[in-house]
Amino acid sequence: MVLQGHLNMETVPAWFATGLQRLAGEDLRVDFSRVESVDSAAVGMLLGWTRAAQRSERELRVAGLPADLLSLARLYGVDELLPQQSVAVQIMVLTLE
């Protein structure tokens, strides 16, 4: 799943629901490389997906996490709870640019 645009209080609920639907039936891979901006709702979404993946014994892989999302997570003290970024996907995204 490729996220794009702005991840904020208005857009996150739809993305969150889509991610939860996918996690109900399969592992979830999320590419954040096309995200333009984030607010705290994006951090909450990612933590929610992480909890859902753990509960359903699914794998959550992320790539291209924006620096501002990582900065917010550090500010809130939850950066250690975020899933590790997939190196293979990062390399592929960087190569395609």
Side-chain angles (χ1 to χ4, degrees):
M1 181 165 76
V2 178
L3 304 183
Q4 57 188 2
H6 306 281
L7 295 181
N8 55 41
M9 298 293 276
E10 293 178 11
T11 62
V12 161
W15 284 117
F16 184 64
T18 300
L20 289 179
Q21 288 174 345
R22 290 196 181 188
L23 277 170
E26 62 189 4
D27 293 343
L28 179 61
R29 290 167 183 82
V30 185
D31 179 357
F32 285 79
S33 64
R34 295 185 182 175
V35 170
E36 296 174 30
S37 67
V38 302
D39 68 14
S40 59
V43 176
M45 176 181 69
L46 193 48
L47 292 172
W49 283 343
T50 300
R51 285 190 301 272
Q54 291 168 345
R55 279 194 308 266
S56 61
E57 298 181 359
R58 300 283 184 201
E59 184 176 7
L60 172 62
R61 292 185 188 180
V62 295
L65 290 176
D68 49 350
L69 189 150
L70 295 171
S71 178
L72 283 172
R74 274 191 296 279
L75 177 68
Y76 301 142
V78 297
D79 53 315
E80 296 293 323
L81 302 175
L82 298 180
Q84 295 295 314
Q85 293 195 70
S86 172
V87 175
V89 175
Q90 285 179 325
I91 291 170
M92 183 179 76
V93 169
L94 292 175
T95 304
L96 294 175
E97 290 182 8

